[in-house]
Structures are given as C-alpha cells and as structure tokens.
Amino acid sequence: MNKIRVGVLFGGQSGEHEVSLRSARSVIEAIDRDRYAVELLGIAKDGRWLAGADAQALLDGRAPADPAPVRLQRGGTALTPPTPGLPLVPF
C-alpha cells in the first residue's frame, strides 16, 4: 500500500509561533504512520522556511543548521515560499 504524503506546516512570524509548534507536535504524534508519510515544513520566527531535519530541529527547540532555501515541488514545477504579506495558496 502506498502511503499518502501529508505536509505539516507550522511556525511563522506571529505571536502564535509557539502555539503552532505545539499543535504540529500533537498532529505528528497522533497521525497514523502506517497510512501517511509526514513531511515537515516549518517557518522560523525570522521568516525562513525549513524542511526535513531543519524543520525537525525547530520542533525540538534546537537551532536549525544554516538551511538551504526550501523549494517545494509539484509535478516537476518549482514553487517557492510566498512573499511575506501575501496569502499562501494551497496546491
């Protein structure tokens, strides 16, 4: 059975940053790993987008390494994180 890939997006530059991290941890702990492959996407307080181990470090309260820019892929087309202040459009 192929697992469905699920992205968990958390963090951000708002005052609710820590609340978002706690919520993401709850979702990640509760999700059925037999059915879903979880991809982590974090946004640091300074606005940097983080993926993989860097996003996990943010969740764990550790400082991420010097992360490479996140490039989201959909059907071979590179999508970049939104410009600050612009709405996030789901894909």
Side-chain angles (χ1 to χ4, degrees), residues 2 4 17 21 28 30 35 38 70-71:
N2 289 335
I4 298 170
H17 179 89
L21 297 183
I28 293 164
R35 293 184 64 196
V38 178
V70 174
R71 297 200 42 99

Side-chain angles (χ1 to χ4, degrees), residues 10 40-44 48-52 54-58 64-65 67-68 70:
F10 54 88
L40 303 179
L41 289 170
I43 303 173
R48 290 178 299 143
W49 285 54
L50 308 167
D54 292 320
Q56 184 65 57
L58 180 63
V70 174

Side-chain angles (χ1 to χ4, degrees), residues 3 13 53 58 63 72:
K3 292 183 182 182
Q13 294 180 284
L58 180 63
L72 306 175

Side-chain angles (χ1 to χ4, degrees), residues 27-75:
V27 169
I28 293 164
E29 289 173 6
I31 200 161
D32 182 352
R33 296 293 182 121
D34 292 331
R35 293 184 64 196
Y36 302 101
V38 178
E39 301 289 337
L40 303 179
L41 289 170
I43 303 173
K45 283 188 173 183
D46 64 5
R48 290 178 299 143
W49 285 54
L50 308 167
D54 292 320
Q56 184 65 57
L58 180 63
L59 274 180
D60 294 342
R62 295 180 285 118
D66 189 20
V70 174
R71 297 200 42 99
L72 306 175
Q73 300 290 324
R74 178 183 179 208

Side-chain angles (χ1 to χ4, degrees), residues 8 10 18-28:
V8 179
F10 54 88
E18 286 77 17
V19 173
S20 179
L21 297 183
R22 283 194 301 272
S23 297
R25 284 186 206 105
S26 294
V27 169
I28 293 164

